[in-house]
Amino acid sequence: MNNKYLKEYGFILVFIIFGLVSYFYSFTFGVKASKTFLNMFIEMISFIPIVFILVGLLDAWIPKKKFEKYMGPESGLKGTLLSVIFSMFQAGPLYGAFPIVYILYKKGASVKNIFIFLGCFSSLKIPMLTIETGYLGLEFTLARTAITVPLFIAIGYLMDYYLKGKDFKITDPTEAQ
């Protein structure tokens, strides 16, 4: 086995060995950790391909000028509202938002709108809101939304101010190192 691959992926081999040893010696913590990892891995593997297909379509179908106009640095309140609304129609766990954020940034969305999107993605997805309303009531959902949306907008503006003028290096993962 190549040393480079062993250094990069050796932890996976160690984890698999740990899981197998835990299973054979009935080490409860190791068995639970392995089962949790396996369940999360299966969830991620079933979810991520769909996200990448949607991100690819988003990248191919919407021109950069449209993103810059509607979500770029000069988009103002329109960009803020679009970030909130766009985040509400998403589904899945938060790690599914990062490929979308990559495309938003690549297409010219402002840092402010990206942070607003991430915040709202984590708490305002329509499926999540319906479940929350069912369990905790409409009043709670409205109150939490009334608090979190302005908070995420404020964080977006603060991060935009803090990161203004900073250059981010985005490396393409498909390029050879």
Side-chain angles (χ1 to χ4, degrees):
M1 182 179 249
N2 191 340
N3 249 353
K4 176 186 171 192
Y5 293 113
L6 189 59
K7 285 180 183 177
E8 289 184 23
Y9 303 109
F11 71 93
I12 295 172
L13 184 62
V14 170
F15 187 79
I16 291 170
I17 291 169
F18 173 74
L20 290 172
V21 169
S22 296
Y23 179 75
F24 287 116
Y25 288 101
S26 299
F27 180 52
T28 308
F29 174 77
V31 172
K32 282 184 179 179
S34 297
K35 285 182 179 178
T36 301
F37 172 79
L38 190 59
N39 289 337
M40 295 300 291
F41 181 75
I42 290 169
E43 175 188 322
M44 190 173 68
I45 286 298
S46 64
F47 179 76
I48 287 293
I50 297 165
V51 170
F52 283 134
I53 289 169
L54 292 173
V55 165
L57 293 173
L58 185 69
D59 189 23
W61 287 349
I62 302 176
K64 185 173 181 167
K65 288 194 184 294
K66 291 274 187 202
F67 267 105
E68 288 173 348
K69 178 180 177 184
Y70 293 108
M71 294 184 80
E74 306 300 321
S75 62
L77 184 61
K78 176 176 42 177
T80 300
L81 289 173
L82 278 174
S83 294
V84 172
I85 292 168
F86 183 49
S87 68
M88 291 177 73
F89 288 101
Q90 304 300 314
L94 186 58
Y95 60 79
F98 294 110
I100 297 168
V101 165
Y102 171 75
I103 293 299
L104 291 176
Y105 182 75
K106 186 176 146 186
K107 292 282 191 168
S110 69
V111 171
K112 167 191 68 171
N113 290 330
I114 288 172
F115 275 96
I116 292 169
F117 173 81
L118 278 174
C120 292
F121 183 96
S122 67
S123 66
L124 290 180
K125 293 178 285 212
I126 291 173
M128 191 176 91
L129 289 174
T130 58
I131 292 169
E132 181 181 309
T133 302
Y135 281 106
L136 301 172
L138 182 61
E139 296 82 16
F140 176 85
T141 302
L142 291 174
R144 188 198 52 80
T145 302
I147 292 169
T148 56
V149 170
L151 183 65
F152 291 136
I153 291 171
I155 289 170
Y157 277 90
L158 284 170
M159 293 307 292
D160 192 50
Y161 173 77
Y162 178 72
L163 297 173
K164 190 172 284 304
K166 298 229 177 13
D167 187 29
F168 300 100
K169 302 277 187 219
I170 295 181
T171 57
D172 188 350
T174 59
E175 292 178 2
Q177 293 180 353

